Amino acid sequence: WRALVVVLLALVPSLGFHRQGHGNRLAVEASILGLLLVLGTVSWLVTRWSVDERALRIDTGLIRRSSKRFPLAQVQAIDVVQPGVARVLGLAELRVRMGGSSAGQARLAYLAEPAAIALRARLLALAHGLAEDVPAPPERILLSVPPGRLVASLLVSSFGLVLVALLVLAVGLSTVSPQALAASLGVGVPYLIGFATVGWRRFNGGFELTVAEAPDGLRLRSGLIERTAETIPAGRVQAVRLSQPLMWRPWGWCRLEVDVAGRQRKHRENSAEAGRLRAVLPVGSSAEASWLLSRILPAAPAADRPAPAPARWKSPLSFHWLSWGADDRVVVTVSGRVRRVTHWVPLAKVQSIRVVEGPLQRRLGLATVHLDTAGRALHAALRDRSTGEVRALLPGLVDAARRARHPSAPPAPPTG
C-alpha cells in the first residue's frame, strides 16, 4: 500500500502532461503501478503459515524460499495492529514478538480481523502450555487515558514549546517579510514533516489508551486511525521507567513506560510501533502510575539510599535526586536534571553488571554501576556511588540476580 501511494502521488500530476501530449510518462507510471499490483499478488500467493509442535511456521518467497519457525515458549508479546486502510477493509496484522534481534519477529499481514483475534488467542494458549482451543481469558480494565488530557500534555511538553515557537516565528516573518516566510517554508518542509510525524505518533499511540489485566498479561489498546492491540505476557517486562517532566509537575502528571525484549523497531513496522518503549500510561497522575506499577511489579521498593556528598561536585543539578534502593527482587534508581526519572529493573532480568569510572569520578572516589537487561532502551544505573560502597554491594548484586533467576540456587562463595 505504501508503494502504491507513492506511485499514485507521482501519477496524478502526469494526467495534466498527458493532455499536452506526454503520454509516454503516463504509460510508464501505469506500468509501474500494474507491476506493484502483480508483485503484491504473488507475495500473497506464496506466503503460507501453520502452527505445529508449539511453534509458528511462516513460509515465504517465490524464487528464494524462506521458512522460519518461532517457538511459542519464547514469545515476548503478541500484537494485533490495524492501519487505517486495513480497518476499512476489515483486516488486521498479527505480530508475534520474540526476544532477540530483528529476525525475532513473526509478522502475518494481513488476516481478516476475526481470524487475527482468534489466532492470537490460540497462540497465547499454546505459549502458556494450554490446549489450543482454550479461549482467551477475561480481562479487567485497570484504567484509560482521556483524550483531552493527552492533548493537554502534548501542548505543555517540549513538543508544544517548539510548536508555539514555530507559530510565533511564522507570524513574525509574515509581518516583516512574506518572501522570507515563503523561502523558509520551502527549505523547512522536510523538518516540519518530521516534527509533525513525531507529534502524530505520540498522539496516535496514546489516543484512548486502555490498559486491562488478564491471566495472560497486560492488554493495551490504543490509536485513532491506526489501532493497536498488544498483549504483554506476565513476567516479560525487562524494566519500567517513570518520568516526570518539569512542565507536567504543576498538574501532577507523569509517564510510565515498560521495556520488553524484542520490542525494538523492525523493518516495515507501522508508525505506532516506532518507539522501543511502550507507554502503558502516556500521561496520568502519580496515583494512577503507582497503581499500574503495583500490577506490573508488585511491592516494588523505593529509592531510599541517597548519593554521597562528593557526588554534589560531579552532578550538581541532579544531586538532590540521585538515589537507589533494592530488595531481593527489584532494583530501583532515581536520577535526572530537569526531568526526574525513576527506573525499576527486576533482578531476574539482569544480563550483566558493569562498573564505570570517568576521570572526574576517579578523582572524587565515585563510580557508576549499570545493570543491563535484554531490553534495548532501559537499564538501571546506580550513579555516582562511592567506590567503597560499590566494592561492598557488587558481590551482593551479582548473587541477588543469580538467586532471583534461580531461587533454589545456593549462595555464591565469598570472594577474596
Side-chain angles (χ1 to χ4, degrees):
W1 172 254
R2 296 180 180 89
L4 289 177
V5 169
V6 173
V7 173
L8 287 174
L9 290 176
L11 189 62
V12 170
S14 300
L15 298 177
F17 289 105
H18 181 59
R19 299 191 192 95
Q20 302 174 12
H22 295 274
N24 291 335
R25 181 179 176 182
L26 180 61
V28 170
E29 293 179 349
S31 301
I32 295 175
L33 184 64
L35 179 61
L36 288 174
L37 290 173
V38 171
L39 291 176
T41 303
V42 171
S43 175
W44 169 71
L45 288 173
V46 299
T47 300
R48 295 288 185 272
W49 65 271
S50 62
V51 180
D52 54 2
E53 299 179 356
R54 297 193 180 278
L56 174 63
R57 173 178 174 178
I58 301 178
D59 299 326
T60 59
L62 177 63
I63 299 176
R64 186 182 66 176
R65 296 291 294 172
S66 172
S67 181
K68 297 181 180 180
R69 287 171 173 81
F70 302 88
L72 298 180
Q74 300 178 12
V75 169
Q76 297 289 331
I78 300 181
D79 311 339
V80 176
V81 181
Q82 287 185 285
V85 178
R87 292 178 65 187
V88 172
L89 299 177
L91 303 176
E93 171 189 348
L94 190 72
R95 189 175 302 147
V96 182
R97 297 182 180 273
M98 318 292 290
S101 61
S102 59
Q105 175 181 279
R107 181 177 181 268
L108 289 176
Y110 287 87
L111 305 174
E113 182 181 358
I117 295 175
L119 180 58
R120 182 184 66 170
R122 178 186 177 191
L123 295 178
L124 284 173
L126 292 174
H128 288 83
L130 305 175
E132 63 180 43
D133 57 348
V134 174
E139 63 183 34
R140 180 169 68 100
I141 302 296
L142 297 180
L143 58 84
S144 59
V145 178
R149 184 199 297 172
L150 178 64
V151 174
S153 68
L154 289 174
L155 294 178
V156 295
S157 65
S158 56
F159 174 83
L161 289 180
V162 175
L163 180 61
V164 171
L166 290 177
L167 291 176
V168 171
L169 180 61
V171 172
L173 287 177
S174 63
T175 304
V176 176
S177 175
Q179 294 80 7
L181 176 61
S184 301
L185 290 177
V187 175
V189 165
Y191 302 99
L192 293 176
I193 293 176
F195 176 73
T197 301
V198 171
W200 168 251
R201 287 176 178 174
R202 191 77 173 262
F203 174 75
N204 188 77
F207 184 80
E208 293 187 349
L209 174 69
T210 300
V211 183
E213 186 180 41
D216 57 353
L218 284 181
R219 298 178 181 175
L220 293 85
R221 299 182 181 86
S222 64
L224 175 60
I225 295 179
E226 180 174 310
R227 297 286 297 176
T228 303
E230 302 181 41
T231 299
I232 302 177
R236 298 305 175 104
V237 173
Q238 304 293 314
V240 182
R241 179 171 72 183
L242 177 69
S243 56
Q244 296 174 295
L246 176 64
M247 292 179 290
W248 285 10
R249 289 180 207 161
W251 290 270
W253 292 341
C254 58
R255 179 179 177 89
L256 190 68
E257 301 166 296
V258 298
D259 192 7
V260 180
R263 199 191 149 71
Q264 59 271 22
R265 180 172 172 82
K266 308 294 196 305
H267 178 57
R268 296 175 66 186
E269 281 196 345
N270 296 295
S271 60
E273 303 302 301
R276 292 178 177 179
L277 301 178
R278 182 40 162 146
V280 294
L281 182 62
V283 55
S285 65
S286 298
E288 291 173 331
S290 299
W291 165 243
L292 262 186
L293 180 65
S294 68
R295 311 311 302 171
I296 300 172
L297 296 176
D304 54 2
R305 306 182 190 182
R312 187 185 301 273
W313 301 99
K314 164 66 170 54
S315 306
L317 297 180
S318 58
F319 172 78
H320 61 290
W321 280 338
L322 287 179
S323 58
W324 77 284
D327 57 15
D328 58 351
R329 301 179 304 103
V330 179
V331 172
V332 55
T333 63
V334 180
S335 61
R337 294 179 178 87
V338 177
R339 182 183 64 167
R340 184 179 181 182
V341 180
T342 306
H343 292 96
W344 289 269
V345 172
L347 284 167
K349 303 300 182 181
V350 173
Q351 301 289 317
S352 65
I353 299 178
R354 297 177 288 122
V355 178
V356 178
E357 294 177 288
L360 181 58
Q361 285 180 314
R362 286 197 296 270
R363 293 184 64 87
L364 296 174
L366 302 174
T368 298
V369 181
H370 296 267
L371 282 73
D372 302 316
T373 69
R376 291 294 188 91
L378 298 182
H379 71 283
L382 285 62
R383 301 188 183 279
D384 300 331
R385 314 306 303 184
S386 66
T387 53
E389 181 185 5
V390 170
R391 283 194 298 267
L393 67 86
L394 190 59
L397 284 176
V398 174
D399 188 52
R402 178 167 159 269
R403 285 186 283 106
R405 191 180 299 272
H406 305 289
S408 60
T415 58

